[in-house]
Amino acid sequence: MHPTHPVLTDGSRLIAEACVRAGADAYVGYPITPASLIFFYASRRFPIALPAPDEITALQWMAGLSAAGHLPVTATSFPGFALMVESVNMAYMMELPMLVILVQRLGPATGTATAGAQGDLLLLNGLISGGYPLPVLCISDLEDCWRLPPIALQTAVDLRTPVVLLTSKEMVMTQESFDLARLEEISPVRRTFYEGPGPYCAYDAGDGLVPPFVPVGDGRHQVRLNASTHDRCGIIRHTSDEAMANTRRLEAKVETMTPILYTLDEQEGAETLVVTCDITTGAAREAVETLRAEGVPVSLLVARTLLPVPTVYHDIIGRYPRAVIAEENHQGQLARLLFGRRLPPNVRTVTAVGRMIRPDEIAREVTR
Amino acid sequence: MSRFLVKSELPYCKGCGHHLIVRNTVKALEAIGMEPLDVVLVTDIGCHGIVDGNFATHTVHGLHGRSVALAAGIAMGLPPEKKVIVYIGDGGATIGLQHILEAARMNVDITVVLHNNMLYGMTGGQPSGLTPTGFRTVLTPQGYPLPHHDIPRLVLDAGAPFAARVIAPGDFADVLRQALEVEGFSLVEVLGICVSYGVKMNPDLRLKELARQAGYEPGVWTGPTRPAFRPARRETTSLLETLAVSQRYSSPLEGRLTLILGGSAGEGVQQAAELLAQAAMSAGLYATKKGSYPVTVGVGFSVAEVVLSRTPIFYHGVSQPDAVIITSADGLANQRERIHPMKGGILWLDESLPVPETGAEVRVRDFRGRAGARNAGLYALLTFLRETGVVPPEAFVKTVQESPLGKHVDLAAL
């Protein structure tokens, strides 16, 4: 089939455009390779685009904009994200929707800015002090660059929380021929502010898990936001029952309301399931196609929701005698996330550092 | 009780100057006739920050030292009729000094009330960047050895239109009123001595005398006025327009071809490879272009990996290239490890370069001499197409002509 609107594009362009079409109205950026391309596009496209003097400021401005009713986005890589961590915790505790796009590159520390990696997953698992889960969605191809930002933004709004959209250098910088006609229209995220009679308490979720939102500055209701332990009205508390219940609610809402996104391409008779995410998805798809062409049945699970880890992944993996988890890091972080440090004997990993995993490496492990 | 408060009993130590700051803030707000819900009070960690629950305004309680940046975000997101006030301590001002200077430089519409009680009160009396020389703290019982920051002077230097310093005992509501009426950044530093740790360690010290000795002179200073920074919403256009590549040619390629173009940074390697990918698309192929280069700009190697295929490409890495095209010594040095094990394929090499060991067929050509360093990559790719026909050379020439590069390069003439 011939493409109907072929373009040569990188993922950064699609991500920036998708965010704006989904209703994100403010981008706060600080340049860092390999996220700078998103910053470049965002500066052209977002209704409000602000260059921040550092990544701590970037997250604080985003929190302020979010508190005032905007829907902010930033993109960064590990060194910048490290500076954002306390502020992401703040936004999580204040329950402020925002999107942080984390473009992974080779670490540790500054590492190699221009080399891709998938090394930040375990950092994200445990990012929130106390072990509270942060929604993390992961882009696996160009279509995801279009499809996932609106879902991530809707999740941020629906759950009143920061959401991390995880990706990596080659996903957002490599140019690929792509058919824009394959992209579905994006509708702006559905968002309503509380307009009831009050009294309004910024953290009173009623019978639900997510409190209604009112921006600060509202002329009818007083809004109290708080990054410290607080009661349902946002007043600082030590460890009162009400305050601790409020904190526990943060976990409950993310655990139960984060969308579970994955693709399962199963083949009848397959003994092995390949599990992957992010840029390694391309190599996995190619390996699976090659194996199937050679008469080797194999299935493929592409994980898009990474955190909180959907339990369905264990269910799916459990149906197969063997699983091969492919990811671009040294430790096998996705594998550790799923099974801990001691992998079951029927689970193997294919890993690489400083380069992309090749399809033949995955195929070899499947047939080993 | 003021309409700006919901309870008048403040959560501070007896005798703490923070009481006065709240009373004077409320008095100033009443003087300018604002309504509580037109005001956002942003506080952070420190004794000053536990006052949120007393205020009838909106309140936002953030991270230690980050309140100015948080407030800047709020102010940039609200209409100008809303007033954003920041309460910050001397410790917070130390850790968040850059936020204060940036807000002043940008002239964000906030009023910062700096509670300078000379030390970190909440954590046990440690010295801050605003602790004056000689002031005794639990960590410096012989006296703090370093000079303090002069925050009003710093913010004025950064471009703030208004800064002031007052000494806590007394009525300074009018100074706060002036600060609140500034459209843009204003800062008022209020001096006091922490009654729990400062007075205990410095029992004979009086605030006015301390201020005089330290050079903490009270005063009101103004800088040049300018419009407050408010990001305007812009109308923008889609990033997806004018991108389409139409198919006008055909390619004989049946399967897949992987190609490496290696050259030097600043010599248009990435752009040339991108144009090749577009030309291939115009010939009905799928294409990817991946860049690899050091963090330096304009120095070192620049390598592009191109995959051309009749079928969709999922994996765009290149492990065993079919073609390697090297235009400079940087490119050769970077790709030597990949060229050496090649058992097939073709290596196109600029004639200025030594021929490396390889199992590939080697074709030495004059890229740099013919086209110059800046266009060596373009010309090398044209040569590759002329010799292989993978994509019609005229497709590449046309793509280059229609690109911004077309005005500067006459590829067809080469």
Side-chain angles (χ1 to χ4, degrees):
Chain A
M1 183 190 296
H2 290 288
T4 56
H5 193 157
V7 299
L8 185 70
T9 186
D10 46 64
S12 296
R13 183 188 290 268
L14 296 177
I15 289 169
E17 181 67 26
C19 283
V20 173
R21 293 196 188 192
D25 61 346
Y27 186 92
V28 183
Y30 185 85
I32 185 167
T33 305
S36 294
L37 195 54
I38 297 175
F39 188 13
F40 169 75
Y41 289 127
S43 296
R44 286 171 48 189
R45 186 65 175 101
F46 272 68
I48 296 171
L50 297 166
D54 61 85
E55 286 93 343
I56 297 175
T57 304
L59 248 289
Q60 290 291 325
W61 283 4
M62 286 172 67
L65 288 160
S66 181
H70 296 271
L71 189 50
V73 177
T74 193
T76 189
S77 194
F78 169 76
F81 189 69
L83 294 178
M84 295 176 176
V85 169
E86 189 190 18
S87 299
V88 172
N89 273 255
M90 182 194 82
Y92 188 86
M93 192 65 160
M94 286 185 172
E95 300 190 65
L96 296 173
M98 63 177 64
L99 178 61
V100 179
I101 302 163
L102 176 55
V103 185
Q104 296 170 102
R105 72 187 211 190
L106 187 64
T110 309
T112 302
T114 52
Q118 293 169 241
D120 296 339
L121 182 54
L122 291 180
L123 168 75
L124 293 168
N125 183 40
L127 190 86
I128 303 298
S129 178
Y132 296 88
L134 183 70
V136 176
L137 308 181
C138 184
I139 289 169
S140 66
D141 57 20
L142 283 186
E143 280 191 72
D144 278 355
C145 291
W146 184 259
R147 198 168 68 90
L148 289 197
I151 296 173
L153 288 162
Q154 188 69 62
T155 303
V157 166
D158 288 348
L159 275 66
R160 273 188 64 175
T161 186
V163 171
V164 171
L165 189 56
L166 190 64
T167 182
S168 57
K169 182 241 175 182
E170 304 304 351
M171 194 69 255
V172 300
M173 293 192 72
T174 296
Q175 294 178 305
E176 301 179 48
S177 50
F178 187 71
D179 181 8
L180 291 182
R182 287 160 55 188
L183 301 177
E184 293 183 359
E185 281 296 313
I186 291 174
S187 302
V189 297
R190 300 169 302 281
R191 188 176 198 192
T192 54
F193 296 147
Y194 175 76
E195 291 180 344
Y200 171 76
C201 276
Y203 301 108
D204 186 351
D207 295 331
L209 290 170
V210 183
F213 188 81
V214 174
V216 294
D218 185 78
R220 291 182 65 202
H221 300 299
Q222 183 194 26
V223 178
R224 295 188 186 277
L225 301 175
N226 205 323
S228 297
T229 302
H230 53 265
D231 63 19
R232 66 189 180 87
C233 289
I235 301 293
I236 195 166
R237 298 292 180 218
H238 186 249
T239 50
S240 70
D241 289 348
E242 183 181 321
M244 297 317 296
N246 182 71
T247 304
R248 285 194 300 273
R249 179 181 53 76
L250 301 177
E251 177 165 19
K253 72 173 181 182
V254 175
E255 285 286 353
T256 58
M257 296 177 67
T258 300
I260 297 172
L261 306 170
Y262 64 91
T263 300
L264 180 59
D265 175 10
E266 292 195 290
Q267 190 178 26
E268 197 175 337
E271 296 279 307
T272 302
L273 174 73
V274 176
V275 182
T276 194
C277 64
D278 194 16
I279 191 67
T280 311
T281 302
R285 279 189 180 144
E286 202 142 311
V288 165
E289 286 210 349
T290 302
L291 288 165
R292 288 175 178 174
E294 293 170 353
V296 179
V298 61
S299 295
L300 174 64
L301 171 63
V302 177
R304 292 193 177 82
T305 299
L306 297 185
L307 293 169
V309 180
T311 55
V312 68
Y313 293 169
H314 287 100
D315 299 338
I316 295 168
I317 294 168
R319 297 204 298 261
Y320 285 83
R322 296 178 76 239
V324 172
I325 302 176
E327 49 185 312
E328 195 178 317
N329 56 59
H330 181 62
Q331 306 83 10
Q333 296 195 8
L334 179 59
R336 280 194 188 180
L337 193 65
L338 290 165
F339 298 105
R341 295 175 72 90
R342 182 176 290 182
L343 296 185
N346 63 332
V347 175
R348 297 175 185 277
T349 59
V350 178
T351 62
V353 180
R355 64 172 178 82
M356 293 166 70
I357 293 171
R358 300 189 309 272
D360 64 282
E361 294 175 290
I362 298 171
R364 192 165 58 238
E365 194 58 49
V366 169
T367 54
R368 202 155 73 103
Chain B
M1 186 172 65
S2 166
R3 67 181 189 280
F4 285 92
L5 296 175
V6 293
K7 54 183 174 183
S8 57
E9 189 179 332
L10 302 175
Y12 299 133
C13 300
K14 189 178 176 187
C16 175
H18 292 4
H19 286 94
L20 292 163
I21 296 176
V22 173
R23 307 283 178 223
N24 281 283
T25 301
V26 165
K27 193 173 174 184
L29 285 167
E30 288 173 339
I32 59 175
M34 297 210 73
E35 292 301 317
L37 294 187
D38 288 332
V39 177
V40 182
L41 176 67
V42 184
T43 65
D44 63 27
I45 305 304
C47 295
H48 68 275
I50 55 177
V51 77
D52 303 42
N54 287 77
F55 273 85
T57 64
H58 301 283
T59 61
V60 182
H61 185 76
L63 302 179
H64 187 46
R66 311 300 171 199
S67 49
V68 171
L70 177 59
I74 293 171
M76 287 190 280
L78 288 178
E81 59 268 23
K82 303 293 179 181
K83 184 61 66 182
V84 181
I85 300 171
V86 180
Y87 274 9
I88 193 168
D90 52 289
T94 303
I95 191 174
L97 183 56
Q98 187 195 1
H99 303 310
I100 297 173
L101 297 180
E102 280 295 320
R105 183 178 72 89
M106 294 169 69
N107 201 29
V108 180
D109 192 10
I110 60 176
T111 297
V112 179
V113 182
L114 169 53
H115 300 48
N116 182 3
N117 62 1
M118 313 294 170
L119 47 71
Y120 290 81
M122 189 172 262
T123 50
Q126 299 85 353
S128 75
L130 274 65
T131 301
T133 309
F135 193 77
R136 289 189 292 275
T137 74
V138 291
L139 299 187
T140 56
Q142 305 304 316
Y144 187 63
L146 299 174
H148 61 81
H149 286 299
D150 185 335
I151 300 291
R153 196 172 74 180
L154 287 172
V155 299
L156 287 165
D157 189 50
F162 183 94
R165 180 182 290 122
V166 298
I167 297 177
D171 185 337
F172 48 88
D174 194 57
V175 176
L176 288 172
R177 180 193 57 76
Q178 291 177 56
L180 289 166
E181 286 180 336
V182 170
E183 194 181 333
F185 183 89
S186 59
L187 179 140
V188 178
E189 180 181 13
V190 183
L191 299 182
I193 298 179
C194 172
V195 291
S196 289
Y197 297 105
V199 172
K200 193 186 299 177
M201 296 294 293
N202 303 269
D204 302 328
L205 208 52
R206 296 292 169 265
L207 182 57
K208 281 188 178 168
E209 180 59 16
L210 168 66
R212 192 192 61 75
Q213 287 176 5
Y216 267 138
E217 290 300 318
V220 173
W221 303 277
T222 56
T225 56
R226 55 197 169 110
F229 178 80
R230 301 187 194 285
R233 288 184 74 93
R234 309 170 297 169
E235 290 297 322
T236 61
T237 56
S238 169
L239 296 167
L240 304 184
E241 288 168 9
T242 71
L243 277 180
V245 179
S246 56
Q247 186 181 344
R248 293 174 286 185
Y249 304 92
S250 63
S251 163
L253 184 67
E254 289 299 328
R256 179 170 298 192
L257 182 137
T258 54
L259 177 149
I260 306 288
L261 177 62
S264 295
E267 294 187 356
V269 169
Q270 302 303 325
Q271 192 175 18
E274 180 180 333
L275 291 166
L276 172 64
Q278 287 177 347
M281 289 176 66
S282 76
L285 298 176
Y286 291 91
T288 65
K289 195 281 292 183
K290 185 156 76 78
S292 179
Y293 28 79
V295 291
T296 50
V297 175
V299 179
F301 70 90
S302 180
V303 169
E305 299 184 356
V306 178
V307 181
L308 308 179
S309 176
R310 177 62 58 192
T311 55
I313 303 162
F314 297 125
Y315 171 71
H316 45 64
V318 174
S319 43
Q320 294 179 331
D322 300 305
V324 176
I325 303 166
I326 301 294
T327 62
S328 78
D330 288 322
L332 180 60
N334 179 261
Q335 289 298 302
R336 196 178 289 274
E337 287 180 18
R338 182 136 53 175
I339 292 169
H340 181 71
M342 284 175 73
K343 293 184 171 58
I346 305 174
L347 168 67
W348 279 265
L349 193 69
D350 185 78
E351 67 177 17
S352 65
L353 302 171
V355 176
E357 256 188 66
T358 179
E361 177 192 342
V362 180
R363 299 183 185 180
V364 176
R365 302 287 185 265
D366 180 18
F367 301 135
R368 299 180 76 83
R370 188 87 187 269
R374 185 67 185 82
N375 296 318
L378 278 177
Y379 180 57
L381 290 177
L382 181 63
T383 303
F384 159 76
L385 295 178
R386 281 174 174 163
E387 295 185 18
T388 63
V390 169
V391 171
E394 57 270 29
F396 186 57
V397 171
K398 190 75 175 170
T399 303
V400 173
Q401 283 173 346
E402 292 176 354
S403 77
L405 211 55
K407 285 184 281 191
H408 311 289
V409 181
D410 186 3
L411 195 58
L414 289 172

